[in-house]
Amino acid sequence: MRFSGRSGIRLMLVLAAALLLVSSGSALASRQHTDAVSRKPSGRLEAAFAHASREFGVPESVLKSVAYNESRWDEHLGEVNTSGGYGVMNLTDVRTTSQAGNKGTRGPRSGVPSSPGLHTLGTASKLLGVGPGVLKRDPAQNVRGGAALLALYARQTTGHLPKDPAEWYGAVAKYSGSTLAGPAELFANDVYATIRHGASRTNEEGQRVTLRPQEGLQPDRATAKPLGLATPASGPKTDCPAGLDCRFIPAAYKQNSPNDPSDYGNYDLADRERDGLDIRYIVIHDTEETYAKTIQIFRDPMSYVSAHYVLSSRNGQVTEMVRPRNIAWQAGNWDINAHSIGVEHEGFAIDGASWYTEQMYRASARLVRYLAARYNVPLDREHIIGHDNVPGPLPAYVAGMHWDPGPFWDWGHYMQLIGAKAPRKGNSARSAVVVIDPYFATNRQRVKDCGGSGKLLAPQPASFVYLHTAPSNRAPLVSDPALHPNGSPGTRCADDWGDKASWGQVFYRAGNQGDWEAIYYGGRKVWFYNPQDINADPASGTLVTPKAGKHSIPVYGQAYPEGSAYPKSVPKQDIVPLQYRIPSGQVYVADGLVRGQYYYAPTYTRTPATHTLVTGKTAYYEISFNHRVAFVKKSDVQVISHR
């Protein structure tokens, strides 16, 4: 979204288009809190790996690591993901998934080539003499199917079943399903990195699996030569890390009306960061469309929307569409747009568990890690943010801000893949600052699909905790004034972001009562369930509070310069507070100071030199305010601690 002084009609078009996500609907139903559920782990899946390893001659470390990198050992018990895969080994049958989404409810997928790597379920079924339905539903048989395939691939690449895990590199590369060198080798490299470092996880079904590290293990890459992996013909240079399956297809940049240079799509030219406009954030989205359709939309200049990158759910392929130096219209807030890179992930937020595949997580993490290093973006949740963390620019737009990637995006796993520092374990009750840290697999929450079917979904792994007005499950959920202007309680709706705190967000600890923690959130004191610190850990940060003598202070959705900073050629942007205030005595965790900036890009142009960057003297702190970040003026707060 953009605020560039253009006509009201043009502005509303951009606001309405800003990014393929259903807007936050009205609060629909009263809700009952569903707390995290822990299941007692059993050894069923561990035993399945051990038995299949012995039966087929596949090193157990290789078998476990392939499964971890395909599914993170989640069984799914007959449910298909959007890569057409079933079970912990991700045995694929793409011909049965012509409909997208969790249960084929979201419309047709783009065409899929008939590659053998997309039909491994049938091959495994023939190798075992076991029906495909059994392989889909029975985790032990699914593991056997994956082991049989790996054994077949090992014979094809080495001529035998090696005892040394290092000699399985070619078999693992073929298991990736890709015939391209980049994606196949990246998958194999990930598998061997997992073997070296080890892994341990309790999956969504309560099964704990452990892979002990084998430090120093180096794969024999020569075993992949018989595969004849293809190297794609060179195309336009991409802003992607080496080895990632990345291509460049430009989003439209075109004037739509021949007589109106302010009517154009779908992004703005800039020269970040050489022009002084720094990149502070990377915004994680989902598309609410298929991969192919999203690319098509960004190619249409009449859509008035774009993002820098789009990722495929099926195989993690990346399409770069806007160069990072330019400003994509992606976040619904012009100030955030000007300072961010937008990364779109194929999928639907309400069906996130089936769309957010391990291949996509890993490809996205590689991309974001590369971009963060290139632009010095900190690897934390104040800077790697979801679209649902972007603040409304003005009060009128807060209720309509998007909520992707939604409650089922596994932030903990994603940030671990990026290389972010893990939360510090300990007693959160002894810390002034806490970080929200529910364990995704066992944090099974219920939400309602209020923007679609209206149904209350079954409990499933989620990345958030519900927030209550008092330390009790029976207490109402927190009511955000933008979503519930009549003061009604928060709801269980997935798009009701006002009563949810997300993984990685940091808040000042305002109290404790039994199994409940209190935090300052959105200008009030709220409570979340935290027995034995299962949902939060100690953290640190710069603490700010309203200056002495101020009864309350305003909160802003944009960090704009003061009026005197604008040259006569640039319309002054009003600094309008949101509908929230921070009362005296409340404390929030702040990021570093930034000076107010505004990038004036009102018309279509062939060079960014015709645009103007306005930088003021007014300084702002970014704070973790509610589910979204926000800004407060330095002149309104005092720093009380750096913890």
Side-chain angles (χ1 to χ4, degrees):
M1 178 178 60
R2 38 192 294 113
F3 288 84
S4 303
R6 45 184 86 225
S7 69
I9 294 176
R10 177 69 177 85
L11 179 59
M12 291 305 296
L13 281 171
V14 175
L15 286 167
L19 195 51
L20 306 177
L21 225 308
V22 291
S23 63
S24 298
S26 59
L28 293 182
S30 62
R31 78 204 271 175
Q32 177 96 19
H33 177 70
T34 301
D35 297 320
V37 177
S38 296
R39 298 182 178 184
K40 292 183 179 180
S42 72
R44 172 171 52 79
L45 197 53
E46 277 277 12
F49 283 120
H51 293 160
S53 171
R54 292 192 296 269
E55 180 181 2
F56 294 97
V58 183
E60 189 171 340
S61 60
V62 172
L63 185 60
K64 282 184 173 179
S65 187
V66 167
Y68 181 84
N69 283 275
E70 289 283 8
S71 68
R72 299 183 69 225
W73 300 324
D74 287 332
E75 299 168 11
H76 299 308
L77 301 176
E79 291 291 331
V80 64
N81 63 33
T82 55
S83 63
Y86 294 87
V88 294
M89 301 304 300
N90 194 34
L91 301 179
T92 57
D93 189 11
V94 172
R95 289 171 296 183
T96 67
T97 58
S98 61
Q99 298 298 313
N102 191 18
K103 295 183 180 178
T105 60
R106 293 290 180 180
R109 289 179 59 86
S110 55
V112 179
S114 57
S115 165
L118 302 179
H119 308 290
T120 58
L121 179 70
T123 305
S125 175
K126 293 176 181 177
L127 290 171
L128 299 181
V130 174
V134 176
L135 291 175
K136 294 177 183 179
R137 296 186 298 271
D138 187 324
Q141 293 294 338
N142 189 275
V143 171
R144 289 184 70 235
L149 288 169
L150 282 166
L152 172 65
Y153 301 158
R155 291 189 179 96
Q156 292 172 347
T157 53
T158 67
H160 65 293
L161 296 176
K163 298 292 185 183
D164 185 355
E167 296 182 56
W168 287 76
Y169 184 85
V172 171
K174 182 163 184 177
Y175 199 98
S176 72
S178 178
T179 58
L180 297 176
E185 291 170 355
L186 280 175
F187 176 77
N189 293 342
D190 279 348
V191 167
Y192 278 87
T194 303
I195 294 174
R196 285 193 296 274
H197 299 140
S200 185
R201 182 174 186 264
T202 300
N203 71 9
E204 294 178 0
E205 293 75 26
Q207 297 289 311
R208 187 159 192 84
V209 180
T210 298
L211 171 60
R212 301 189 183 281
Q214 297 182 34
E215 297 178 2
L217 177 66
Q218 295 298 325
D220 182 357
R221 300 176 188 276
T223 58
K225 288 183 179 179
L227 298 177
L229 297 171
T231 301
S234 60
K237 185 179 179 181
T238 62
D239 298 280
C240 290
L244 197 63
D245 183 10
C246 185
R247 60 183 182 171
F248 181 72
I249 299 177
Y253 185 66
K254 181 181 177 182
Q255 184 171 324
N256 293 323
S257 172
N259 300 318
D260 183 2
S262 71
D263 181 11
Y264 65 96
N266 282 340
Y267 60 91
D268 275 302
L269 298 183
D271 194 17
R272 303 185 304 178
E273 296 181 304
R274 290 191 298 182
D275 59 4
L277 192 58
D278 60 321
I279 294 172
R280 304 170 188 165
Y281 311 98
I282 298 175
V283 182
I284 304 302
H285 304 256
D286 79 29
T287 61
E288 296 296 305
E289 272 292 357
T290 63
Y291 181 52
K293 183 65 174 178
T294 301
I295 294 169
Q296 178 184 340
I297 290 171
F298 291 173
R299 295 274 289 167
D300 178 2
M302 297 297 292
S303 68
Y304 303 107
V305 65
S306 63
H308 293 90
Y309 299 90
V310 186
L311 278 84
S312 163
S313 171
R314 182 171 62 82
N315 56 17
Q317 184 187 56
V318 179
T319 297
E320 180 183 358
M321 302 200 71
V322 178
R323 298 299 193 187
R325 65 177 178 269
N326 296 321
I327 300 173
W329 300 350
Q330 43 98 17
N333 181 319
W334 179 240
D335 188 37
I336 301 297
N337 279 349
H339 294 286
S340 69
I341 294 172
V343 182
E344 286 279 356
H345 299 79
E346 181 184 20
F348 295 82
I350 200 67
D351 298 328
S354 65
W355 282 98
Y356 302 151
T357 62
E358 191 64 14
Q359 295 96 323
M360 186 164 68
Y361 274 127
R362 289 178 178 271
S364 178
R366 272 197 187 86
L367 174 65
V368 169
R369 187 167 60 242
Y370 162 83
L371 293 169
R374 179 176 173 183
Y375 294 104
N376 199 30
V377 177
L379 296 178
D380 57 43
R381 287 284 280 114
E382 288 76 47
H383 300 89
I384 311 297
I385 62 176
H387 199 178
D388 57 337
N389 303 131
V390 173
L394 298 168
Y397 302 116
V398 173
M401 295 301 290
H402 295 174
W403 56 280
D404 57 307
F408 309 128
W409 179 266
D410 189 348
W411 276 110
H413 176 52
Y414 186 66
M415 296 301 287
Q416 180 186 43
L417 290 174
I418 289 174
K421 185 178 179 180
R424 184 176 83 249
K425 297 298 178 184
N427 186 347
S428 62
R430 297 177 182 175
S431 175
V433 180
V434 295
V435 55
I436 305 300
D437 182 28
Y439 182 54
F440 186 79
T442 54
N443 182 47
R444 304 176 72 87
Q445 303 284 10
R446 301 199 77 179
V447 300
K448 193 171 184 179
D449 182 12
C450 296
S453 68
K455 293 181 179 179
L456 183 65
L457 305 181
Q460 57 189 294
S463 61
F464 72 92
V465 294
Y466 280 122
L467 302 172
H468 291 256
T469 57
S472 169
N473 286 336
R474 294 184 294 273
L477 288 160
V478 172
S479 173
D480 187 279
L483 302 178
H484 305 277
N486 61 357
S488 59
T491 69
R492 195 177 295 181
C493 296
D495 57 8
D496 190 347
W497 44 264
D499 54 21
K500 299 172 180 66
S502 185
W503 189 98
Q505 290 190 290
V506 288
F507 298 100
Y508 184 79
R509 181 180 170 274
N512 172 269
Q513 186 170 318
D515 291 335
W516 291 79
E517 297 279 356
I519 56 175
Y520 289 131
Y521 177 97
R524 60 197 302 184
K525 183 177 179 180
V526 304
W527 297 82
F528 67 94
Y529 189 58
N530 190 37
Q532 299 179 325
D533 294 309
I534 66 170
N535 289 323
D537 288 305
S540 59
T542 298
L543 305 182
V544 298
T545 191
K547 279 187 174 179
K550 291 182 178 288
H551 178 69
S552 66
I553 62 170
V555 175
Y556 302 92
Q558 297 167 311
Y560 277 167
E562 67 280 4
S564 60
Y566 291 84
K568 292 182 179 180
S569 60
V570 177
K572 295 179 181 179
Q573 302 298 304
D574 292 332
I575 303 176
V576 180
L578 301 178
Q579 56 266 69
Y580 310 100
R581 294 188 72 85
I582 296 177
S584 173
Q586 287 199 3
V587 181
Y588 288 83
V589 183
D591 189 48
L593 284 169
V594 296
R595 293 173 67 190
Q597 286 190 323
Y598 174 68
Y599 188 68
Y600 183 55
T603 59
Y604 177 82
T605 180
R606 296 188 180 276
T607 170
T610 60
H611 298 332
T612 304
L613 175 63
V614 181
T615 301
K617 296 180 180 180
T618 302
Y620 296 83
Y621 284 106
E622 177 198 318
I623 61 171
S624 184
F625 179 62
N626 50 18
H627 191 88
R628 303 180 184 274
V629 301
F631 301 98
V632 292
K633 290 182 179 180
K634 178 186 177 184
S635 58
D636 283 337
V637 299
Q638 59 187 22
V639 175
I640 60 173
S641 178
H642 295 279
R643 300 191 182 188

